[in-house]
Amino acid sequence: MTLAILCRRAFSDLRQNFCAQVITTMVVSLSILIFAFFTLLYFNLQHFVDRFGTELGLTIFLTEDTPKDRIPSLYQKLTGLSEVEKVTYISSEEAFGRLEHFLKDEKDVLEGVDPQFLPPSFEIQINRAVFQLKRIKQLAGEIDKWPEVSKVQFGQEWIDRLYVFSGLVRTIVVITGILLLFTAAFVVTNTIKLTVYARQEELKIMRLVGATNMFIQGPFLVEAFLQGLLGSSLALGIVFASYRYLQGFEAKSELLRGVSICFIPWHYTAAIIASSVLLCVIGTALAMRRFLRL
Amino acid sequence: MISLESSIIRLKDVFKKYSPDNIIFSGIDLEIEKGEFVFLTGPSGVGKSTMLRILFCAERPTSGEIWVDGVILSSLSNAQVPYLRRKIGVIFQDFKLLSNRTIFDNVALSLEVIGLGKKQAEQRVMQVLEGVGLTGKMSHYPLRLSGGEQQRVAIARAVVNRPSIILADEPTGNLDLQRTEEVMMLMEELNARGATIIFATHDERLFENTHRRVLRLLDGKIRI
Ligand SMILES: Nc1ncnc2c1ncn2[C@@H]1O[C@H](COP(=O)(O)OP(=O)(O)OP(=O)(O)O)[C@@H](O)[C@H]1O
Ligand SMILES: [Mg+2]
């Protein structure tokens, strides 16, 4: 009953100040939109780095004089490692075959070359669950000390760079988040202040005839709740639509296939909506405090 | 000695100053009985409105204690003030009507804030509007009404929730003789039904022949 009255009053207020309400909602929406785009970028970069890291794996080159009968025991040793998901042995001949395949039409440059000239190697895929750059580095160092191993290779520099970059993006996300939070809070409280200011005579009179603060604030808080909810949902909706659009691109384009973009995890999405709502409601309550004395 | 139980309003040594050289009340002691009808008078600017404002907590006294219906006002928090005000109907000197609401809605506001059902509220508003002779104008807006009509809307809003205390600040200030007579009759009727009334006015004629108590404010004190 009281909730129904509250909502009726909120909607009648809403109709009266429709323009101001729309503008506030738009500001909330725009702020969240910018923030959400950065967040999306960050999660995709993170996603990409993680995938890239696991897919890169390690390549372990053996010394040329490693006897063939050592291979199975080395294979065993590698599969026994907890970080390792899958081990593939690439013999000198196979490596040579790959090179030939890679060169295609120009493979005659390899004419007369000894098929054994490439060292045999192991290709290791890292277990996704345990992927951690530090551990992989450590592992590479250890394997490098084995007498049969001549060199351990992995895209460490690349991964390092990507991690630095994604750290940078995270910092940007956090900073824009905070800045936009303040901007949105500032605009929301100011619009509310203007609306309340324009109607302070009315609110004062309500108080004089015995209205509680909750009665006066109620409709404003409902409006703020709706603004926060609609504003953030709209923004996230736009981000989601763009995400689906990019996904369509990805499916069509050879270059992007396999990049596999991801959306902001759902609990982050929920957190963004919740904080937007909270921000609007708290901002409104604070902005109105001044008008509700005596 | 007046017994505490029967006095609905009691002031003890009340001071009010806006600044060191703007002292409105300098030590007011006053008791008003439950069901009493008193006139509060004095020259313009003496503090009649201020006195009423203090009684319904729109203003706090600088010092002194005030009891209204058994409640010590200084102990009331901001959140409790609305509940006190629901027991008090105030007729404001400047009406304080909402210009963006109809006469009906203005009067209904008093009932709306206490959460009375729509049907019941409508019935009571109609009844009160009839009492002040404004049934025909209930869907008009205040600014399209004459001063006297606006004053009667203010009266209707103050009495519609049947308060036990009525603070009337110059309720006849804008009315002609006949309307003044009607308002006085209305006040008498409300008083007869048990409401305690403080009637602030500078118009001596209103209490010329009355047997009622007349409180005269002068130089920050009450002289009877
Ligand atoms: N907020 C305020 N700040 C400073 N002075 C004030 C304030 N409010 C009222 N006053 C002063 O208090 C005095 C009493 O004002 P009040 O309105 O109570 O007079 P009144 O007796 O109701 O007069 P009137 O008969 O003209 O209505 C006036 O001199 C006024 O200037
Ligand atoms: Mg006055």
Side-chain angles (χ1 to χ4, degrees):
Chain A
M1 178 66 181
T2 19
L3 195 72
I5 291 174
L6 185 68
C7 287
R8 206 187 55 219
R9 287 179 53 221
F11 279 110
S12 112
D13 280 1
L14 236 162
R15 235 175 324 148
Q16 275 178 37
N17 302 300
F18 193 69
C19 238
Q21 308 286 356
V22 168
I23 290 170
T24 319
T25 311
M26 282 307 179
V27 170
V28 172
S29 196
L30 212 61
S31 311
I32 303 274
L33 186 65
I34 299 169
F35 176 66
F37 260 117
F38 276 110
T39 313
L40 184 70
L41 186 67
Y42 169 70
F43 277 110
N44 273 291
L45 203 63
Q46 194 67 46
H47 180 66
F48 179 69
V49 171
D50 286 349
R51 263 178 49 114
F52 193 60
T54 46
E55 264 166 29
L56 223 52
L58 299 181
T59 311
I60 299 166
F61 294 102
L62 303 178
T63 51
E64 270 163 65
D65 49 1
T66 310
K68 275 241 167 23
D69 53 349
R70 286 286 299 139
I71 303 295
S73 73
L74 279 173
Y75 183 85
Q76 291 289 314
K77 228 167 132 184
L78 286 170
T79 18
L81 296 167
S82 63
E83 292 90 342
V84 171
E85 169 93 31
K86 197 175 141 206
V87 181
T88 323
Y89 175 67
I90 313 282
S91 66
S92 297
E93 291 81 3
E94 272 174 277
F96 190 76
R98 279 192 190 181
L99 186 60
E100 269 186 331
H101 182 75
F102 179 72
L103 290 172
K104 277 185 194 160
D105 300 339
E106 287 138 72
K107 68 177 170 200
D108 29 320
V109 295
L110 291 175
E111 205 131 347
V113 175
D114 180 4
Q116 297 283 336
F117 94 100
L118 290 168
S121 62
F122 283 108
E123 278 180 5
I124 289 177
Q125 235 179 38
I126 303 297
N127 187 347
R128 218 167 256 250
V130 299
F131 179 76
Q132 224 182 2
L133 190 61
K134 248 205 218 139
R135 257 172 94 177
I136 306 306
K137 267 188 195 168
Q138 229 173 13
L139 184 72
E142 270 163 35
I143 296 174
D144 203 26
K145 284 190 207 123
W146 296 0
E148 297 90 349
V149 173
S150 74
K151 193 180 171 199
V152 180
Q153 204 179 49
F154 73 112
Q156 187 186 346
E157 278 166 36
W158 264 102
I159 297 178
D160 277 345
R161 264 184 234 161
L162 277 173
Y163 266 102
V164 170
F165 187 58
S166 94
L168 193 73
V169 173
R170 183 170 48 206
T171 314
I172 294 174
V173 168
V174 171
I175 291 174
T176 46
I178 292 171
L179 285 181
L180 290 168
L181 194 85
F182 279 116
T183 324
F186 182 76
V187 175
V188 169
T189 45
N190 266 293
T191 333
I192 291 293
K193 266 187 196 155
L194 283 180
T195 328
V196 174
Y197 194 77
R199 295 177 54 188
Q200 63 172 331
E201 209 47 49
E202 186 182 343
L203 305 187
K204 256 193 224 158
I205 292 172
M206 281 186 171
R207 251 193 88 77
L208 287 179
V209 300
T212 56
N213 281 351
M214 217 40 232
F215 180 89
I216 296 170
Q217 263 184 318
F220 288 91
L221 295 181
V222 170
E223 282 161 36
F225 178 87
L226 289 178
Q227 274 163 2
L229 188 70
L230 288 180
S232 56
S233 307
L234 185 68
L236 288 167
I238 293 174
V239 174
F240 187 72
S242 328
Y243 156 75
R244 292 310 289 259
Y245 181 71
L246 282 177
Q247 250 187 349
F249 253 118
E250 188 186 60
K252 270 183 252 155
S253 152
E254 280 295 324
L255 192 71
L256 291 176
R257 185 163 295 162
V259 173
S260 134
I261 50 175
C262 65
F263 193 61
I264 305 167
W266 73 267
H267 49 277
Y268 276 86
T269 315
I272 289 175
I273 295 180
S275 9
S276 162
V277 167
L278 217 61
L279 183 87
C280 289
V281 171
I282 290 176
T284 302
L286 289 182
M288 289 195 75
R289 227 175 24 165
R290 196 161 75 77
F291 294 95
L292 296 174
R293 304 208 179 112
L294 281 188
Chain B
M1 278 300 282
I2 299 167
S3 81
L4 266 179
E5 283 71 40
S6 64
S7 60
I8 194 167
I9 292 172
R10 180 159 170 250
L11 286 81
K12 194 162 161 271
D13 208 21
V14 170
F15 280 76
K16 176 69 184 176
K17 40 184 130 175
Y18 285 108
S19 62
D21 55 345
N22 190 4
I23 300 165
I24 312 297
F25 302 133
S26 48
I28 291 204
D29 292 293
L30 175 66
E31 302 214 15
I32 293 172
E33 304 276 306
K34 190 172 249 164
E36 211 182 341
F37 187 147
V38 299
F39 289 95
L40 180 65
T41 191
S44 179
V46 78
K48 300 183 292 293
S49 299
T50 306
M51 170 66 75
L52 300 186
R53 286 169 59 74
I54 286 176
L55 289 179
F56 68 93
C57 278
E59 200 91 64
R60 297 277 194 188
T62 311
S63 69
E65 280 298 359
I66 299 168
W67 289 259
V68 174
D69 204 10
V71 182
I72 299 179
L73 297 193
S74 60
S75 73
L76 276 186
S77 69
N78 270 358
Q80 291 168 312
V81 166
Y83 300 99
L84 174 82
R85 288 184 182 159
R86 291 172 189 186
K87 294 190 245 173
I88 304 176
V90 185
I91 303 163
F92 297 94
Q93 193 170 9
D94 56 352
F95 316 144
K96 296 205 189 296
L97 301 176
L98 296 174
S99 55
N100 60 347
R101 296 200 188 199
T102 62
I103 300 311
F104 181 91
D105 287 341
N106 264 286
V107 177
L109 185 68
S110 292
L111 301 174
E112 199 184 311
V113 300
I114 60 173
L116 196 75
K118 217 177 165 183
K119 258 226 171 87
Q120 221 179 338
E122 195 176 306
Q123 205 179 3
R124 280 222 221 159
V125 172
M126 292 309 291
Q127 198 183 340
V128 172
L129 280 178
E130 203 181 306
V132 295
L134 281 175
T135 323
K137 306 229 164 163
M138 66 178 192
S139 48
H140 288 220
Y141 287 85
L143 292 180
R144 284 186 46 201
L145 263 49
S146 75
E149 284 168 333
Q150 290 183 37
Q151 185 136 47
R152 283 182 279 147
V153 178
I155 294 170
R157 187 186 60 193
V159 303
V160 74
N161 62 346
R162 298 174 188 163
S164 54
I165 300 171
I166 294 172
L167 306 178
D169 198 351
E170 305 276 5
T172 57
N174 290 276
L175 303 181
D176 57 36
L177 251 168
Q178 198 204 327
R179 286 296 179 194
T180 301
E181 207 48 46
E182 279 174 28
V183 167
M184 292 311 289
M185 296 264 286
L186 180 68
M187 291 292 158
E188 292 286 355
E189 195 187 317
L190 290 164
N191 180 239
R193 285 209 217 131
T196 307
I197 296 178
I198 302 184
F199 194 115
T201 182
H202 60 258
D203 188 353
E204 301 270 339
R205 286 172 303 170
L206 291 179
F207 47 85
E208 252 171 2
N209 305 312
T210 190
H211 57 284
R212 311 261 183 219
R213 193 145 65 111
V214 179
L215 310 168
R216 293 177 195 275
L217 268 174
L218 201 67
D219 300 332
K221 301 247 190 217
I222 285 184
R223 291 148 218 263
I224 301 184

